[in-house]
Amino acid sequence: MSFKIVILGSGRGSNAKAILEAEATGQLGEASTVAILSDKKEAPILDLAKQFGKSAHSIPCNPKKARLNPEETEAFLKIIQELNPDLVVLAGFMKIIDPQFIESLDGKIINLHPSLLPCFPGINSIENAFNFPVKITGCTVHWVIPKIDAGKIIDQKAVIIEPNDTLESLSVKVHAAEHLLLPDVIRRLSTGAIPFSK
Ligand code: GAR
């Protein structure tokens, strides 16, 4: 039985790559990626889709606006509804989505965030944790609700900030933790080990 996922991302796609590699090596449970969607035509995440034989879609969006406008929302939803996924995965998707977007997916949407929420929501989370400074940060996968970075937490992975860490070395460690956490959460959702209770 297949558990279809659609990945949305805006940038380099290292987390999408971790998902696709887990899938290719049989470590994604019942999950299979059906497509990658991006708000940026030139995003490297779309090249990854092609590299792994998945369909890639770019939806032209206003780069100056943080929030998707109604037309952009409709364009994303049209493609997603045609693909009919069991789960939508926000992996570095840097646009704010409307409640309508979330509701029409019946809440089957998760987000990856580079901090231990509820600490350091929003942007520049790794830098904000480093500068605070806290001693432990990490990453979170949570259900998406209309309030940003505030949905019920599904799982987290901690990262220790060592005295000799730089922002660069910390970023590498947080991303490495993300690359383990996100595919593992998808695997467990796909097998029912994590229930769909939002
Ligand atoms: C990841 O660190 C992810 O947690 C973050 O963007 C990065 C995407 O990296 N997402 C957010 O900050 C969302 N608020 P990637 O394109 O290499 O996967």
Side-chain angles (χ1 to χ4, degrees):
M1 209 184 75
S2 168
F3 177 92
K4 294 193 287 179
I5 66 166
V6 167
I7 302 170
L8 269 60
S10 305
R12 66 181 179 146
S14 70
N15 284 285
K17 189 170 182 220
I19 295 167
L20 292 164
E21 283 177 348
E23 183 180 337
T25 54
Q27 295 171 78
L28 208 59
E30 305 292 325
S32 71
T33 308
V34 290
I36 297 183
L37 278 55
S38 183
D39 56 303
K40 292 201 181 122
K41 202 168 142 224
E42 308 299 337
I45 194 170
L46 294 175
D47 299 330
L48 262 177
K50 288 169 209 150
Q51 204 180 309
F52 281 81
K54 308 291 183 183
S55 74
H57 304 262
S58 72
I59 290 91
C61 294
N62 184 345
K64 292 188 184 136
K65 300 271 185 207
R67 189 176 285 279
L68 292 180
N69 70 30
E71 292 74 35
E72 294 161 356
T73 297
E74 204 176 309
F76 270 99
L77 285 176
K78 187 168 183 292
I79 298 174
I80 293 171
Q81 277 154 359
E82 276 164 16
L83 294 164
N84 192 26
D86 297 287
L87 183 71
V88 171
V89 178
L90 305 183
F93 188 61
M94 302 312 279
K95 290 284 191 189
I96 299 170
I97 57 178
D98 281 345
Q100 181 220 340
F101 195 118
I102 300 161
E103 276 160 28
S104 55
L105 298 174
D106 196 22
K108 289 187 234 159
I109 174 166
I110 61 172
N111 180 47
L112 172 68
H113 185 79
S115 76
L116 292 179
L117 290 171
C119 292
F120 309 112
I123 58 168
N124 303 324
S125 305
I126 302 176
E127 190 176 347
N128 291 339
F130 182 76
N131 289 336
F132 191 81
V134 290
K135 301 287 184 192
I136 302 173
T137 186
C139 53
T140 302
V141 178
H142 64 92
W143 294 108
V144 175
I145 62 168
K147 197 169 169 207
I148 294 170
D149 297 335
K152 187 175 164 190
I153 291 170
I154 302 172
D155 205 355
Q156 297 181 306
K157 209 171 244 313
V159 171
I160 307 281
I161 305 180
E162 304 286 356
N164 62 350
D165 265 323
T166 61
L167 177 57
E168 289 67 36
S169 69
L170 178 62
S171 300
V172 169
K173 291 200 294 193
V174 171
H175 293 312
E178 291 185 317
H179 299 162
L180 295 175
L181 181 68
L182 184 57
D184 193 52
V185 167
I186 295 169
R187 177 186 64 76
R188 287 183 284 150
L189 282 166
S190 82
T191 61
I194 298 176
F196 264 76
S197 62
K198 288 147 266 170

